[in-house]
């Protein structure tokens, strides 16, 4: 069970990110997208990171992509 991941997933869908397949939260976030265009996927993850997942005033983040 990952209630925080489910809340983040639903929030992202409410923000208009319809291609979100799954979100899991632990020590880090794992986000699965249903997107074939790599540039669109990278833009989506960057936007999600800045707008929802981090407080950029006090936190840093790194994005790692799996294929």
């Amino acid at each position: 069970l990952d209630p925080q991941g489910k809340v983040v997933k639903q929030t992202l869908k409410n923000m208009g990110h319809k291609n979100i397949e799954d979100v899991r939260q632990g020590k880090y976030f794992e986000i699965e997208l249903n997107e074939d265009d790599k540039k669109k996927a990278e833009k989506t993850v960057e936007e999600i990171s800045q707008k929802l997942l981090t407080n950029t005033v006090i936190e840093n983040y790194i994005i790692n992509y799996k294929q």
Side-chain angles (χ1 to χ4, degrees), residues 2-58:
D2 183 5
Q4 289 176 314
K6 288 180 182 181
V7 170
V8 171
K9 178 181 176 182
Q10 187 58 50
T11 301
L12 292 171
K13 289 197 178 271
N14 293 343
M15 291 173 64
H17 296 287
K18 303 299 180 196
N19 58 348
I20 303 295
E21 290 288 320
D22 197 19
V23 176
R24 289 175 299 283
Q25 181 181 5
K27 290 184 179 182
Y28 52 87
F29 288 95
E30 289 187 37
I31 302 170
E32 292 181 28
L33 299 177
N34 183 9
E35 180 61 65
D36 293 328
D37 185 330
K38 184 177 178 180
K39 293 217 182 270
K40 281 185 180 179
E42 289 173 354
K43 182 179 177 187
T44 298
V45 172
E46 184 70 32
E47 182 180 329
I48 289 168
S49 298
Q50 289 183 0
K51 289 186 176 181
L52 181 66
L53 301 180
T54 60
N55 178 348
T56 56
V57 174
I58 61 172

